[in-house]
């Protein structure tokens, strides 16, 4: 198994979006003198993520980048929390940048540094190039380049997101490994011919998480974290 | 002048393509027992670069990435040197990777590290994402992301190459500065509303170089090298 590039899901797999977004929401709310459940707000904001992308995946809407969808979902979430009137256009633009300030899980940066020594590493996220670039600067994620929806103009699990990523690297899908904490992401990548690695993130959705607690299929690798993934790959010749 | 991102021409401005390509050509020729002027070969290969891209800029041909054009130009150069028969398909594929193994000018890596501290840095090159990614790994160029022709599917000085790069960063052109050793590249960028910085590379084409020895217009910054560029930008508030 020759893996020349590793591509990564980001939200949930590399970074703790829930903690990061809740922190930014709490700061913004406090500045307005509002008391809200910032974790519940982060969850509500994120709950709109899949349905909003589905409008694009289904063809009912042309591709727009995730920053635009996040902003629409922010407006809807402010509405549902009954606090719309407290946030000006400028406040909303600022709060939408919450998605660029998400803490990496502790193993991610040291793991990526090791993985990068022998292979190309890049995000294959639904986040835009702009978002992924700023998030990488925030968390010191040492990507070689930014791939995914931003270059494919299609949202995972649409096959084009994976295939455009491989094509941009001029690599056959069989030489590219998708790394994700979400079984459905890996399933779509495998359908495109990519190799797959599962790393569970059991706290992505908090202590009550019920989905993706473990691998649901025979992925090429199942690793406890990115350091274990690195050890796994380097143990095998040409792995 | 608020500059939030610096985007860079790469061949000539960041890396010494002539020395790098000539070295790879010399190695490949020696392996075949051939004696050729490897610098002349590098120059001849590069001389086909602009005419080949012009076919695409003019609309006579659909966009294909630079790796494809480099390969076509390699075949033509092997022909013109009368050594076509010595290089198999596999040899040519290998030699075409010469463009991924180019030495950065000495100021480039330390300069980019400083410039990256306060601003997004990215190539805006005619090289593909695949080529730029591997070249960055070879030379330790610490880009935040890879932009330029690979995402625009258009070759500089086509305006789309600059504008798609700014759009990918979600930045107004006025907040992006193009850095290049080529006056025509800066002129096209300025026409798109970008800021401009000129850094002369008087040895790009060897000791007999006659073009681009100095700034031909009032660019926003003219700096001796990337370290001087960094000092220039950091001296100015919001520079």
């Amino acid at each position: 198994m020759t893996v020349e590039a590793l591509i990564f899901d980001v939200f949930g797999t590399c970074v703790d979006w829930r903690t990061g977004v809740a922190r930014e929401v709490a700061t913004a709310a406090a500045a307005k003198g509002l008391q809200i459940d910032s974790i519940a707000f982060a969850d509500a904001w994120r709950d709109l993520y899949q349905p909003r992308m589905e409008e694009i995946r289904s063809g009912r809407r042309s591709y727009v980048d995730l920053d635009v969808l996040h902003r629409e979902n922010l407006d809807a979430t402010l509405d549902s929390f009954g606090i719309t009137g407290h946030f000006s256009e400028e406040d909303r633009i600022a709060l939408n940048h919450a998605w660029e300030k998400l803490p990496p899980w502790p193993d991610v940066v040291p793991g990526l540094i090791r993985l990068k020594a022998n292979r190309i590493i890049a995000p294959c996220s639904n986040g835009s190039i702009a978002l992924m670039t700023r998030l990488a600067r925030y968390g010191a994620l040492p990507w070689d380049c930014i791939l995914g929806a931003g270059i494919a103009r299609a949202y995972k699990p649409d096959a084009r997101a994976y295939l455009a990523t491989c094509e941009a690297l001029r690599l056959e899908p069989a030489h590219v490994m998708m790394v994700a904490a979400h079984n459905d992401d890996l399933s779509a990548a495998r359908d495109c011919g990519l190799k797959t690695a599962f790393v569970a993130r059991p706290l992505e959705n908090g202590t009550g998480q019920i989905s993706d607690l473990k691998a649901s299929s025979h992925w090429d690798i199942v690793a406890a974290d990115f350091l274990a993934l690195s050890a796994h790959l380097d143990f095998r010749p040409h792995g």
Side-chain angles (χ1 to χ4, degrees), chain A residues 11 48-73 96 125-131 148-156 158 160:
Chain A
F11 300 122
L48 300 174
Y49 175 72
Q50 289 296 346
R52 190 76 70 171
M53 286 191 297
E54 191 54 29
E55 294 173 18
I56 290 169
R57 286 192 288 246
S58 67
R60 293 195 300 276
R61 182 178 181 185
S62 301
Y63 182 82
V64 294
D65 68 30
L66 188 60
D67 308 78
V68 172
L69 302 186
H70 273 156
R71 173 55 200 276
E72 293 172 1
N73 293 343
N96 206 39
S125 162
N126 281 332
S128 67
I129 294 173
L131 199 175
I151 61 153
R153 299 184 68 79
Y155 285 114
K156 295 186 300 180
D158 186 319
R160 291 175 293 173

Side-chain angles (χ1 to χ4, degrees), chain A residues 7-202:
Chain A
I7 61 173
F8 295 79
D9 175 60
V10 174
F11 300 122
T13 301
C14 295
V15 300
D16 178 0
W17 59 264
R18 192 172 188 249
T19 300
V21 169
R23 185 195 55 211
E24 295 298 310
V25 167
T27 302
K32 302 287 177 189
L34 296 170
Q35 290 197 326
I36 64 164
D37 181 342
S38 60
I39 286 281
F41 192 100
D43 285 341
W45 195 353
R46 177 75 173 182
D47 281 347
L48 300 174
Y49 175 72
Q50 289 296 346
R52 190 76 70 171
M53 286 191 297
E54 191 54 29
E55 294 173 18
I56 290 169
R57 286 192 288 246
S58 67
R60 293 195 300 276
R61 182 178 181 185
S62 301
Y63 182 82
V64 294
D65 68 30
L66 188 60
D67 308 78
V68 172
L69 302 186
H70 273 156
R71 173 55 200 276
E72 293 172 1
N73 293 343
L74 170 59
D75 289 350
T77 309
L78 289 169
D79 261 355
S80 69
F81 275 68
I83 55 175
T84 291
H86 295 271
F87 290 84
S88 67
E89 173 66 17
E90 198 171 69
D91 294 334
R92 292 163 196 225
I93 290 171
L95 185 51
N96 206 39
H97 288 290
W99 295 92
E100 299 169 355
K101 300 168 195 162
L102 308 177
W105 301 109
D107 57 292
V108 166
V109 174
L112 289 178
I113 289 169
R114 288 195 203 175
L115 291 164
K116 185 177 180 173
N118 298 317
R119 292 165 196 88
I120 294 168
I121 59 166
C124 182
S125 162
N126 281 332
S128 67
I129 294 173
L131 199 175
M132 284 294 121
T133 297
R134 293 180 174 88
L135 182 60
R137 290 177 61 87
Y138 177 83
L141 306 173
W143 305 125
D144 287 306
C145 54
I146 306 286
L147 302 172
I151 61 153
R153 299 184 68 79
Y155 285 114
K156 295 186 300 180
D158 186 319
R160 291 175 293 173
Y162 309 96
L163 295 175
T165 291
C166 297
E167 195 183 337
L169 293 171
R170 295 179 70 84
L171 291 175
E172 294 297 321
H175 296 159
V176 177
M177 177 174 276
M178 181 77 204
V179 183
H182 308 126
N183 287 285
D184 57 354
D185 198 355
L186 296 181
S187 183
R190 184 167 61 189
D191 287 347
C192 292
L194 285 80
K195 299 286 188 297
T196 52
F198 179 81
V199 177
R201 296 301 186 188

Side-chain angles (χ1 to χ4, degrees), chain A residues 193-213:
Chain A
L194 285 80
K195 299 286 188 297
T196 52
F198 179 81
V199 177
R201 296 301 186 188
L203 295 175
E204 176 185 356
N205 297 299
T207 51
Q209 182 167 326
I210 53 171
S211 62
D212 290 315
L213 294 175

